[in-house]
Each structure stands twice: as C-alpha cells, then as structure tokens.
Amino acid sequence: MKTILVTGATAGFGAAFARRFIKDGHRVIATGRRVERLKALQAELGENLHIAALDVTDKDAVAAFIPSLPEPWQQIDVLVNNAGLAFGLGPAWESDLEDWDKVVATNITGLIHMTRAVLPQMVARDDGIILNLGSTAGEYPYPGGHIYGASKAFVRHFSINLRADLVGKNVRVTDIEPGLVSGTEFSTLRFKGDADRAASLYQGVQPLTAEDIAETASWLVSRPKHMNINRIEMMPTCQASGPLVTKRD
Ligand code: NDP
Ligand code: 8X3
C-alpha cells in the first residue's frame, strides 16, 4: 500500500486518480481548493482517503503542507502533480495577462513548489514516484495554446531534468501527456463557464476519459522500482499530430 498525494482532486483527472488508487488498495491524500468537493470524495471513498484544502499557488501553504498532515500520512510515496488549468483559446496578443499569470502560477510554480516540498523525503528514503501532468500541448503548438502549451513544455523539461539529478536513485519521475480528454472541467473553465463551447470540442469524436488517464497512472505506480517511464503521450484514435502550417499570400 502506497500513500499517494494528489493535487487538484476535486474534479476531472484528480478525482479519477483518487478513485482508482483507492480501488488499487492505496491510501490517497486528496487536495484542492473546493473543500465541499473534497468532503464528498471523503464520503464516497472512506478512511483510506485523507482530505486537505490546498491551493498550490499559495507558496507558504505548500511549504507547510507535509508537516501539517497527521503523522501517519506524512510519508509520501507518490506525488501526482495534477492541478492545472488553461484560459482562453484566442491569439496571444488578445490574451488577458492576468490569465497568463494564473497559468504560470498553477501549472509551473505550483508544480515546482509541490515537488520541492516532497522530493527531499523521497531522496532520503531512496524511494518515490512523481507523476506530472503535462499535455500534448507541451509538444505540439496550436493556435491559442501559447502560455498553456509553454507551461506544459516546462513540465516536460522539468521532469526530464529531475531525472538527470535522480539518476541512480529509485526516485522516479514521469510526465503524463494526454491529448483530447472529455468529461472534466478543463474546457468549461478554459472558456470561462461557456459549457456549450466546451462541449462542442468533443462532439462527433470519442476522446479519452479521466478514467483512461487514471488507468495509466495506476500502471505507472505498479512498475518495478528499477523502471522509470520518462514520458507517456496519449491520444484518442480520433486525434493525431498534424502537419506544419505554411501561410501563403
Ligand atoms: P479539471 O479542470 O477538471 O480539474 C482541475 C483540478 O485542478 C481541479 O480539481 C482544481 O481544483 C485543481 N486546481 C486548479 N487550480 C488549483 C490550485 N491553484 N490549487 C489546487 N488545485 C487547483 O481539469 P482536468 O482534470 O482535465 O486536468 C487535470 C490536469 O491534466 C491539468 O494539469 C491539465 O492541464 C492536464 N491535462 C488535461 C487535459 C484535458 O483535455 N482535460 C489533457 C492534457 C492534460 P480546485 O478548483 O478545487 O482547486
Ligand atoms: C489539454 C489538451 O489539446 O486542449 O492539455 O491542449 S489540449
């Protein structure tokens, strides 16, 4: 049984991770900002779930988080850096700079602060797994991707640079890079509550689901200690990387 800390467990992938890991026989620390959602998850998943409010953009709260946990929950075997978001799909020059700052604060700064809070104990035990939620957006640019794609490219490179420091240790790091996934709040949030616009992205196709991502995470957590899966790029069959674009007069 591992103790698995999941950021952003109040919705989407994070809630699916919590459900899957509990089903697999692990203990989960579910975190996020919406406490009512965490309480509902607690009622559903029982005593192997510990819930705690945590905003990953709150540097002090992140630094104080592990020592604030009840002692039996302080040894983190797996950290899932899942909390993340995007805003808008318009061109860079029309983007709201405050939205860009929020994306950087959550997807980059939040992720590195969480990692820095947990990594020393993993190194001291010579055991641990960090699963980072990247995205195909970190590899393949698309119009309107700008800061989101760049933040996920950061996640990818942070992951492999951590591996460079961790070589020879049994502390593993994987960048999970999904493409089109439906059934989460990601697109509704991206379009600032416009659920119809969000739903239109998934019409007429069969995207991946949060459960598909959780199944992959479950597999990653069950790999033997000597095996590091550096990155996993996942797409539904309705999606593929497209050609480069040349705009002609
Ligand atoms: P959702 O919007 O459904 O869930 C995002 C979660 O992140 C929520 O639980 C939210 O909780 C949490 N969160 C957001 N900001 C913060 C914060 N400051 N502190 C703590 N938690 C926060 O998104 P998905 O489940 O779809 O996405 C999860 C991850 O996967 C993200 O990193 C996303 O970029 C990535 N991803 C998503 C894809 C998709 O198509 N859906 C594809 C590829 C990658 P709360 O608001 O309660 O704090
Ligand atoms: C989410 C996938 O294609 O909307 O990371 O950027 S995409």
Side-chain angles (χ1 to χ4, degrees), residues 111-248:
L111 182 143
I112 64 176
H113 287 181
M114 287 302 301
T115 302
R116 187 62 183 80
V118 170
L119 199 51
Q121 59 156 282
M122 290 183 170
V123 171
R125 289 196 309 274
D126 193 25
D127 192 15
I129 300 176
I130 297 177
L131 303 181
N132 289 329
L133 265 296
S135 168
T136 50
E139 175 68 10
Y140 309 105
Y142 58 82
H146 40 76
I147 195 68
Y148 179 71
S151 75
K152 293 303 187 181
F154 174 91
V155 173
R156 179 182 196 161
H157 271 263
F158 186 57
S159 302
I160 54 176
N161 275 282
L162 284 175
R163 285 279 301 129
D165 283 357
L166 290 165
V167 63
K169 302 189 192 304
N170 291 312
V171 179
R172 293 170 278 163
V173 184
T174 302
D175 184 25
I176 304 174
E177 303 172 357
L180 193 69
V181 189
S182 65
T184 78
E185 297 179 350
F186 177 84
S187 292
T188 305
L189 190 73
R190 183 172 208 166
F191 298 133
K192 307 234 162 145
D194 187 341
D196 290 342
R197 189 173 175 203
S200 70
L201 287 181
Y202 308 110
Q203 270 162 16
V205 293
Q206 184 177 358
L208 297 176
T209 64
E211 289 69 32
D212 293 327
I213 315 306
E215 186 178 354
T216 303
S218 166
W219 178 79
L220 287 166
V221 164
S222 66
R223 292 310 85 209
K225 264 191 183 185
H226 70 280
M227 184 188 294
N228 196 97
I229 307 296
N230 296 337
R231 54 182 288 271
I232 291 195
E233 186 181 299
M234 307 170 62
M235 289 182 187
T237 51
C238 65
Q239 189 178 37
S241 53
L244 288 174
V245 173
T246 304
K247 190 169 186 308
R248 304 183 195 284

Side-chain angles (χ1 to χ4, degrees), residues 8-13 32-34 54-57 82-85 106 133-135 148 152 178-179 181 184-186:
T10 59
F13 299 3
R33 294 168 300 179
R34 286 170 291 177
L54 181 64
D55 179 344
V56 297
T57 69
N82 168 72
L85 39 70
T106 311
L133 265 296
S135 168
Y148 179 71
K152 293 303 187 181
V181 189
T184 78
E185 297 179 350
F186 177 84

